[in-house]
Structures are given as C-alpha cells and as structure tokens.
Amino acid sequence: MSKSASEPLNSSHTSKVLKAAIFSRFLLLVLTILWRSLLTPYDTSAPLDPTCLRNPSSFPPPLLPSLASAIENGVVWDSVYFVRIAQCGYEYEQFYAFLPLLPACIFAFSRTVFAPLVPLIGYRAVLALSGYVVCNVAFVFAAIYFYKLSVIILKDPNAALQASVLFCFNPASIFYSSIYSESLYALLSVGGCYYLISGSNNIAVLWLALSSFARSNGVLNAGYFGFQTMHQAYDAFSGKKRAFLALWILVSGALRCIFIFVPFIAFQAYGYYNMCLGRSSDEMRPWCKARIPLLYNYIQSHYWGVGFLRYFQFKQLPNFLLASPILSLAVCSIIYYVKSRPEIVRSLGFQASVEEKSSIAVIFSFQKSHGSNDTNCQRNILLGSKKIIILDRGRKLTKEGILPRAEQFMDHQRS
C-alpha cells in the first residue's frame, strides 16, 4: 500500500462529506422557501423590529425592500433573539438565556463582510443574512470534523463516510441552517473532541470552552477531560506507582475543566453586573437575592417553564411522537452496546482490553504519543483495520504478514 493509494481515499471521502454538507444546506434552503410560499408561518414575530433601547441607530430605507422582507421573514422563534442581541445588545432579562457567541459572530459579519449590503437591504436583513451564513458555514465545517473524528474512532473510513452523510441529512437539520446556535455548538464540540482524541489537549480545551460560549450545555464537555484525567491518573498511579505524576494529572485536568466552565460563568457574572448591581432591594429580581445568583436557571424556569422533568407533560405528546424515530434508534443503540460490552459500561472503561486502550491511547494513557496527529491517525486506521493484537509486553501479532507491510507503509509516509 503506497502513499498515493491512501491519500485519494482520504481526500475523496472528505470531498464527498463536503459536497453532502453543502448540498444538504441548499436542499433545506429550497424546501424552506417552498414551504414558506405555500403555508402561513405559525410564528408571526418576524416583522417585529422596535427601536433599540440604548444607542438607537437609524438607516435610510433599503433600495430593495422586497428582498429585505424576504430575508427578514426567516427571523422567527429563537432567531428573533439572536438577531436582536446582535443589533441592540442584551436589553431585557430573558435575553440572557441566549449565549453571546452567535450574536457576536453575526455582529462581526454584519459590520465587515456584509456591511456594503446595508444600503440595499437594510441593517436588520444584513444581520439575518450574516446569521444564515455563519450557521450554514459552521455546519459544513462541523460535518468535516465529524468525519475526521469518526475515522479515528471507527477506524473505518467507509463507515465514517456513511455516518457523516447521515449527519448532513439528520431529521433536525433545519435547526443547523436556521439562525440558531446548534451549528456553532456542533462545530466547536465535535472539533474539540477531534483535537482531544488527536492528542492536542490545549486546542481541545479552547474549542470546548468556546462551545460553552455558544450554548449552556457546552459546560458538559468538561466531562471529556474529566474522563481522560480519571483514566490517566489511574494509569500513572497503578502502573508504576507514580503518585506525584498522578497528582499533576489531576491538577491539570481540573484546570482544563475549570477553563471550559469559565465562559459560561463569566456570562452569568456579566448578567448579574447588568441586572443586579446598583439597584435597591425592591428593584432587584428574585434571582439576584439567591445564595448562588444563577441567572440562566431562573430565566429558563420563569419565562419558558424549563426544569427537571417539567417537559414531560401530556400536551407535549405530539413532540415526543415526532422525535420517537430518532429516540428509538438512540435507545436501541445504547441498549445494544450495553449488552455487547457490559464490562466496559460497568467499569467506565477500566476493564477495556489492552487493544482497545492502545487504539485511543491519548484518553487512557498518560504517555503522549510521538509523531504527527495525521501519522498516528493513519497508523490507527491501518493497524486497527487489520486486527492487530497488542499484547502487554508491546509485541504485535499479525495474520498473513500484515505488520511488515504496515511498517513499510509508515516508513514511506515519514520519508
């Protein structure tokens, strides 16, 4: 197997994922325009555009009002909040339920790339157009990172390609093309996981921290480093009784997890500064007086009725029926994995075989792998696909003399 034979496979698959992601976005755009022309939108908040409370700005009427109206008609549901925040900032309490990364990107694009279009379609339409571009471009890159991550985990480029195409055409795909934070969050979360699996911990921390600036559940991505820290500390201490190294791993892992939490906590502090400080006790909102003044939880509960198990109501039955195909598939996949590998699930991976741990050593072992990420990825794919068994002593057994050819291939890659 030569270098020229392997690279076209990788590049061709990446190209297919790129084409599938772009095609899926255009298909959704056509379907959205078609349905909006045939049906009356359920949400009628698109035309609402009051003057900003602070620093109101006025623009002359757009030269293409019909085009401006067509673009602004897609600003519905949560898109209204994201566009409004990009235009006017955080004016009201309920706006703090929407984290600032997407509005910041929309604002930046509207003032730079699409600024020349303001006289033609107006500033609000430019904000909406910026939001659409940011979200759809972010989804395309998220699909590419999804493929790269799948190749490393599945060790099968064909299976990774199929999974990536399914991701491009998933049933919730409309949310990735609307002015919602799902696309940015998917890009940062999947990209962060890719860099984590590749051994680039610092880049992974940065990406996962930014994900908590896009959506509140980004803080859960700290769990990846928590899992890695747990296994690496155990590996360092139990293998050669390196207590100091295990302690260092625990401290560095904790710092990485805290770094991922920082953007969300900083945004809560920003909300407390704007909504609570400098106000009398009578003017303060109830959450300002709480022992832990967490704005996000109060907003979700007070304005949208979101809370633990509060969504499980009889009136939500149609929504559960709509989601039932994907929920059933996810539940069946989890049950299948639990039944096939119960020892790994029960032990949180501590009882994984040496072969499985070696395939993703950056998670289970404190020892950093040498060489570039691409080379390590290719080695994992090549050796994993040929079912090489890695023994405790580091010796490798192969069938039909595969290992010598694999090593020759890797030597050729390095040269």
Side-chain angles (χ1 to χ4, degrees):
M1 186 175 181
S2 64
K3 182 177 180 179
S4 60
S6 64
E7 286 187 346
L9 176 65
N10 240 347
S11 61
S12 65
H13 281 190
T14 304
S15 177
K16 289 179 181 178
V17 173
L18 178 62
K19 292 177 181 178
I22 295 175
F23 175 74
S24 66
R25 298 311 94 191
F26 277 111
L27 179 62
L28 274 174
L29 175 63
V30 172
L31 291 176
T32 301
I33 295 174
L34 176 63
W35 285 109
R36 285 191 177 277
S37 62
L38 296 177
L39 301 175
T40 302
Y42 178 77
D43 184 73
T44 58
S45 56
L48 300 178
D49 185 26
T51 305
C52 296
L53 295 179
R54 294 170 292 185
N55 301 323
S57 56
S58 59
F59 294 92
L63 299 177
L64 302 174
S66 58
L67 179 59
S69 177
I71 296 175
E72 292 184 36
N73 283 340
V75 182
V76 293
W77 300 109
D78 289 357
S79 302
V80 176
Y81 290 94
F82 287 116
V83 171
R84 180 73 180 183
I85 293 169
Q87 181 179 4
C88 305
Y90 287 88
E91 300 174 297
Y92 304 100
E93 184 180 63
Q94 60 267 35
F95 282 22
Y96 288 88
F98 303 91
L99 273 78
L101 184 59
L102 177 56
C105 292
I106 294 174
F107 176 82
F109 271 73
S110 68
R111 292 302 180 97
T112 55
V113 179
F114 297 109
L117 297 179
V118 172
L120 297 178
I121 59 178
Y123 186 53
R124 190 167 187 262
V126 166
L127 288 170
L129 181 62
S130 301
Y132 284 122
V133 171
V134 168
C135 292
N136 283 274
V137 171
F139 176 83
V140 172
F141 281 101
I144 294 175
Y145 273 106
F146 186 90
Y147 169 73
K148 291 181 177 182
L149 179 63
S150 300
V151 169
I152 297 176
I153 294 177
L154 301 176
K155 301 177 184 59
D156 185 347
N158 293 321
L161 175 62
Q162 295 173 4
S164 302
V165 172
L166 289 175
F167 172 71
C168 293
F169 294 93
N170 73 83
S173 197
I174 183 62
F175 295 105
Y176 293 95
S177 283
S178 303
I179 308 176
Y180 278 36
S181 55
E182 272 78 355
S183 293
L184 272 178
Y185 178 74
L187 170 60
L188 295 168
S189 297
V190 176
C193 289
Y194 166 74
Y195 288 115
L196 173 62
I197 295 296
S198 301
S200 303
N201 285 339
N202 293 335
I203 299 178
V205 168
L206 177 62
W207 280 56
L208 296 180
L210 286 174
S211 75
S212 66
F213 236 156
R215 291 182 66 86
S216 61
N217 48 355
V219 298
L220 299 178
N221 288 326
Y224 294 116
F225 277 102
F227 182 82
Q228 182 194 57
T229 300
M230 177 178 64
H231 277 273
Q232 291 184 351
Y234 176 81
D235 180 52
F237 184 76
S238 64
K240 296 183 179 181
K241 305 297 182 182
R242 299 179 180 179
F244 180 78
L245 178 59
L247 178 61
W248 171 251
I249 291 172
L250 289 174
V251 172
S252 60
L255 291 176
R256 287 167 178 159
C257 292
I258 291 173
F259 190 79
I260 294 174
F261 273 88
V262 163
F264 179 76
I265 296 175
F267 183 64
Q268 300 306 299
Y270 173 74
Y272 183 84
Y273 175 81
N274 286 338
M275 304 299 298
C276 300
L277 292 185
R279 299 173 184 254
S280 64
S281 179
D282 296 336
E283 294 176 333
M284 282 188 180
R285 300 289 291 160
W287 66 272
C288 293
K289 305 174 184 178
R291 180 175 299 179
I292 301 178
L294 192 58
L295 171 59
Y296 185 80
N297 285 356
Y298 175 81
I299 292 174
Q300 292 287 359
S301 175
H302 182 72
Y303 291 97
W304 285 279
V306 176
F308 182 67
L309 298 181
R310 291 173 65 177
Y311 190 78
F312 291 84
Q313 303 178 31
F314 183 78
K315 64 180 181 180
Q316 301 293 352
L317 182 60
N319 293 327
F320 281 105
L321 292 176
L322 287 173
S324 58
I326 298 302
L327 288 176
S328 301
L329 181 61
V331 170
C332 290
S333 300
I334 295 173
I335 293 175
Y336 175 81
Y337 182 78
V338 171
K339 287 185 176 180
S340 61
R341 308 305 303 274
E343 68 285 351
I344 292 183
V345 176
R346 287 197 302 265
S347 66
L348 296 178
F350 283 100
Q351 294 183 4
S353 65
V354 178
E355 179 186 0
E356 290 168 324
K357 289 186 177 182
S358 299
S359 64
I360 47 174
V362 294
I363 294 294
F364 291 103
S365 174
F366 66 89
Q367 296 177 349
K368 293 184 178 180
S369 56
H370 300 285
S372 67
N373 294 335
D374 292 337
T375 302
N376 292 331
C377 176
Q378 291 170 348
R379 179 182 291 272
N380 286 336
I381 296 170
L382 181 63
L383 303 188
S385 63
K386 298 303 183 181
K387 301 184 182 301
I388 292 179
I389 303 171
I390 304 178
L391 302 179
D392 292 335
R393 297 181 182 177
R395 294 176 299 175
K396 302 172 184 175
L397 300 178
T398 61
K399 296 180 180 180
E400 301 177 1
I402 294 172
L403 182 57
R405 294 199 296 271
E407 294 296 345
Q408 290 174 6
F409 167 74
M410 296 311 302
D411 292 339
H412 179 65
Q413 290 283 74
R414 288 192 291 270
S415 63

